Amino acid sequence: MELLKEIASVSGKPGLFKILKPTRNGVILETLDDLKNKSIVNTATKVSILKDISVYSTGEVENVPLGEVLLSFDKATTGNVPVSSKSDDAALRKFFGQILPTFDKERVYVSDIKKMVSWYLILKKYMPEIFVEQPAAGTTDKEAVEEPVKASAKEKTAKSATPKVAKPTSAPKPKSSPAVNKSATTRASKKGG
């Protein structure tokens, strides 16, 4: 669910947006739809990154990250959500209770459930790679390959660093230019003479 840090919701605008890059006065966004419209929103506009959003819960964990809720949506529905943002309140609450049984019924409003349903449908259509299973927190094949490479690079750096430190101390001191010595000698002879 690391891709959720690139997706945002903008207050007052429908849908989701992909964050392209920050600007001095805001951020450049691209709509997650067929049009792919780009726009700049200023710093006064409330932009919520989906990775930072969580859902109130009454279970052991007080807040459940939105990423986990969206994965639960995907596992429970396999892409065919039985409700929409236009469904009645009771149907939405019942459906969300199946997805996250411990959600806080007093603090999670129907409007929040509607947003999550619409966000899930948008993400499923335009960014299905979000719902692909990520490797576990353990070592992956890529990490296993990178570890020896990093270790050998550190060893090379350590070996090559020793001669570099010794080199300047063993090198002869640079000779001063004849012009400097000549002028110094000339001054000394004028003062002494």
Side-chain angles (χ1 to χ4, degrees):
M1 286 308 215
E2 284 299 311
L3 291 175
L4 286 182
K5 66 183 176 186
E6 300 173 6
I7 309 299
S9 170
V10 178
S11 179
K13 293 189 176 190
L16 292 175
F17 300 85
K18 183 173 186 178
I19 300 170
L20 298 180
K21 66 181 189 177
T23 65
R24 188 178 319 170
N25 299 327
V27 66
I28 300 173
L29 302 174
E30 178 182 75
T31 58
L32 274 181
D33 58 12
D34 294 328
L35 299 176
K36 304 274 186 213
N37 291 332
K38 293 180 182 164
S39 62
I40 299 174
V41 292
N42 61 22
T43 53
T45 306
K46 183 173 178 178
V47 177
S48 301
I49 310 294
L50 294 192
K51 179 105 174 127
D52 299 337
I53 297 174
S54 59
V55 179
Y56 293 116
S57 172
T58 57
E60 291 177 14
V61 180
E62 187 174 325
N63 298 322
V64 178
L66 181 63
E68 289 180 24
V69 175
L70 293 173
L71 284 176
S72 297
F73 265 77
D74 197 50
K75 288 177 184 173
T77 63
T78 61
N80 299 321
V81 181
V83 294
S84 72
S85 58
K86 296 184 183 349
S87 298
D88 66 7
D89 295 358
L92 285 165
R93 284 194 177 277
K94 181 180 177 187
F95 168 72
F96 199 70
Q98 293 168 354
I99 301 297
L100 185 63
T102 61
F103 84 98
D104 190 339
K105 291 163 183 55
E106 292 177 11
R107 296 194 293 175
V108 177
Y109 301 112
V110 174
S111 61
D112 299 328
I113 298 170
K114 287 180 180 181
K115 278 185 208 172
M116 287 184 271
V117 168
S118 67
W119 290 350
Y120 169 74
L121 294 172
I122 291 169
L123 290 171
K124 189 65 176 176
K125 183 175 182 180
Y126 296 104
M127 292 193 74
E129 62 271 15
I130 287 179
F131 301 103
V132 175
E133 290 283 330
Q134 299 295 325
T139 305
T140 62
D141 292 337
K142 185 178 178 182
E143 291 173 351
V145 170
E146 287 178 1
E147 281 302 316
V149 172
K150 288 179 184 175
S152 64
K154 286 179 183 176
E155 290 172 5
K156 287 179 184 177
T157 305
K159 289 178 184 177
S160 63
T162 307
K164 287 181 182 176
V165 172
K167 222 177 198 179
T169 57
S170 64
K173 293 181 179 178
K175 296 179 181 179
S176 43
S177 67
V180 173
N181 286 338
K182 191 175 188 180
S183 65
T185 309
T186 309
R187 284 187 202 143
S189 61
K190 286 181 182 177
K191 286 183 183 180

